[in-house]
Amino acid sequence: MTDVVRETVEAVLDQVNAISLPGPGYTRPSYSPEESAAHRVIEDRAVALGLQVHRDAGLNLFARLPGRDRSAPALHVGSHLDTVAMGGAYDGAAGVAGAMALAAAFVASGETPPVDLVVTVTRAEESVWFPVSYIGSRAALCRLHAAEFEARRADTGRTLADHMRAEGGDPQAVLRGPGLAPAQFVELHIEQGPVLFDAGEPYALVTGVRGGLRYRQAQIHGTWAHSGGAPRETRADAVFAFADLVVAMDAIWARELAAGHDLAVTFGRVEGATPEHAFAKVPGHLGFCVDIRSDDVAELDRMDAALKAEIAKIEARRHLRFDLGALSRSQSSALSASLAARIADGALRLGQAPRRMLSGGGHDAAAFAQAGWESVMVFLRNWDGSHNPAEGMDPADLAEAVRALKAAWGDAQGQPG
């Protein structure tokens, strides 16, 4: 099993990552021809293994290996193949490669899994393209709302419905349902931080996924003025106002962490380079986004109130106006302790004891958990961060995690096959 797992992991990653818009890094936008081409790679490999392949109306891909008990809830394993712009080789793709490697291991060993094993490849997980969370997985679960189909993709301005139809999907059928019935979902994914790399550990089990609160198109409206002629007390400087907000929120973040709350605050985009901005001008406008995350809904609500309170103070002090724009949120999700325990038991048979940890990023596993599924994640050691061309992952780590899944659901007790 060891060889087929490693070979499958490397082959899938090579084939998928050969499909991208021009670099640096890898770019496969949500509901794009590139994302569709990556899905066809998986379809072709799944058919070659003898799996039964189908797509739903939202174009999620499911490749099924029949199990011994066809009436029991299936085990879905997978992730997504879209990327952020100029992202890395492993975010999403590693989970799909791992799912294919698990299926290949069962086929190569001649074993029948205890229940149907479904390699699950979702669409449009990366919400940088559309301001909607977990589009593909929520489409599969019939949990998207009609208004969300009118969300516009960041690079084209066309609606989600338009892009879905262009790739062969059917938005109306997604809305009609029915969605997938509750089952089990395991998502393999690179950690999006340095914890496992710093600890020298290949993989970990994820206990929960943080929720998020985002203002994606916030703006500050000040007053343009001459940099030498405008007195300090009369200025409405958008850049100084933004600096005030960043400093204030950083102090609040530190205070909340000291009090034991889970929290992350990020100002991920700052836009000021327009033709109006110039060397000798007081800046009268600035755009930005803010991303606040926590595993506690009440903490997110507190931080939203704190953000708005700080803005009110700055507006009064700086004589300008903030417009936060539309709010988008994703719900925090506890993941399945029983599935984590099963994987931990499989790992123990291999002499491993993966740690438990929290996910700071949002993932499809959260959408499945929110729909009543048993859902869990396995994090893989990663270096140089995530959502950038330098993402690092050792395929051997992914192979070890797949072997733990095989030990947990197979008859071979983790022995090579």
Side-chain angles (χ1 to χ4, degrees):
M1 183 185 75
T2 302
D3 287 344
V4 74
V5 168
R6 181 68 177 265
E7 289 167 6
T8 302
V9 162
E10 293 181 349
V12 170
L13 289 171
D14 286 347
Q15 285 184 275
V16 165
N17 287 319
I19 301 165
S20 174
L21 292 174
Y26 304 88
T27 301
R28 290 185 294 273
S30 300
Y31 287 109
S32 68
E34 293 75 27
E35 187 192 32
S36 295
H39 275 236
R40 287 193 292 273
V41 166
I42 304 306
E43 178 181 19
D44 291 345
R45 295 190 67 93
V47 169
L49 281 175
L51 277 58
Q52 304 161 2
V53 176
H54 81 278
R55 291 181 177 81
D56 64 11
L59 300 179
N60 299 291
L61 176 67
F62 304 94
R64 185 177 295 265
L65 179 64
R68 293 191 299 272
D69 186 350
R70 302 301 308 279
S71 64
L75 172 65
H76 290 246
V77 183
S79 194
H80 61 96
L81 292 176
D82 62 323
T83 70
V84 299
M86 293 178 283
Y90 304 111
D91 187 323
V96 176
M100 285 299 298
L102 180 61
F106 273 106
V107 171
S109 69
E111 260 184 87
T112 301
V115 298
D116 285 7
L117 170 63
V118 184
V119 175
T120 300
V121 191
T122 61
R123 299 293 293 240
E125 191 271 350
E126 297 291 3
S127 60
V128 297
W129 300 105
F130 298 96
V132 180
S133 296
Y134 314 133
I135 291 171
S137 50
R138 289 176 57 220
L141 297 163
C142 197
R143 292 170 71 88
L144 280 178
H145 308 301
E148 291 174 310
F149 281 97
E150 299 308 308
R152 296 187 179 274
R153 210 171 83 176
D155 58 337
T156 67
R158 291 163 49 205
T159 66
L160 170 58
D162 187 15
H163 276 281
M164 186 182 288
R165 281 191 293 263
E167 294 305 308
D170 186 343
Q172 290 304 312
V174 171
L175 290 171
R176 287 194 302 269
L180 293 171
Q184 300 174 322
F185 181 68
V186 176
E187 183 171 11
L188 297 144
H189 201 285
I190 58 169
E191 183 200 354
Q192 293 173 299
V195 173
L196 292 175
F197 180 71
D198 289 347
E201 299 170 14
Y203 66 94
L205 304 174
V206 180
T207 58
V209 176
R210 280 173 168 162
L213 181 153
R214 302 180 180 103
Y215 291 100
R216 299 166 183 263
Q217 300 294 334
Q219 298 182 63
I220 305 173
H221 301 285
T223 303
W224 299 98
H226 190 284
S227 63
R232 183 178 185 278
E233 63 272 14
T234 67
R235 294 187 181 199
D237 188 316
V239 170
F240 273 105
F242 179 68
D244 288 348
L245 182 62
V246 171
V247 170
M249 293 304 293
D250 187 42
I252 292 170
W253 182 12
R255 183 190 70 203
E256 293 298 295
L257 291 178
H261 300 296
D262 178 65
L263 183 64
V265 179
T266 307
F267 291 89
R269 176 180 52 79
V270 183
E271 295 178 348
T274 69
E276 292 175 282
H277 288 259
F279 173 74
K281 281 188 175 182
V282 174
H285 180 267
L286 183 141
F288 67 96
C289 69
V290 59
D291 179 353
I292 302 172
R293 303 192 186 205
S294 176
D295 64 356
D296 182 358
V297 173
E299 177 69 7
L300 291 175
D301 291 338
R302 284 194 297 272
M303 290 302 295
D304 193 29
L307 175 73
K308 291 171 180 174
E310 292 301 324
I311 284 172
K313 296 176 189 175
I314 296 166
E315 286 178 327
R317 185 168 66 248
R318 295 280 183 188
H319 312 296
L320 39 63
R321 178 174 63 86
F322 282 72
D323 178 4
L324 286 174
L327 168 67
S328 64
R329 294 189 69 152
S330 60
Q331 183 179 333
S332 59
S333 301
L335 298 180
S336 171
S338 61
L339 278 185
R342 182 166 187 167
I343 298 169
D345 184 60
L348 185 61
R349 295 173 188 159
L350 304 176
Q352 300 165 353
R355 73 168 67 202
R356 265 70 163 183
M357 63 186 299
L358 184 71
S359 171
H363 301 282
D364 285 317
F368 285 101
Q370 291 161 18
W373 287 46
E374 280 194 273
S375 179
V376 76
M377 294 189 70
V378 179
F379 264 174
L380 306 162
R381 174 168 43 187
N382 157 250
W383 54 91
D384 290 330
S386 177
H387 286 188
N388 72 78
E391 280 178 2
M393 186 198 76
D394 187 343
D397 291 345
L398 177 52
E400 282 300 299
V402 171
R403 290 186 68 234
L405 296 183
K406 180 66 164 54
W409 273 273
D411 293 330
Q413 301 296 299
Q415 297 302 312

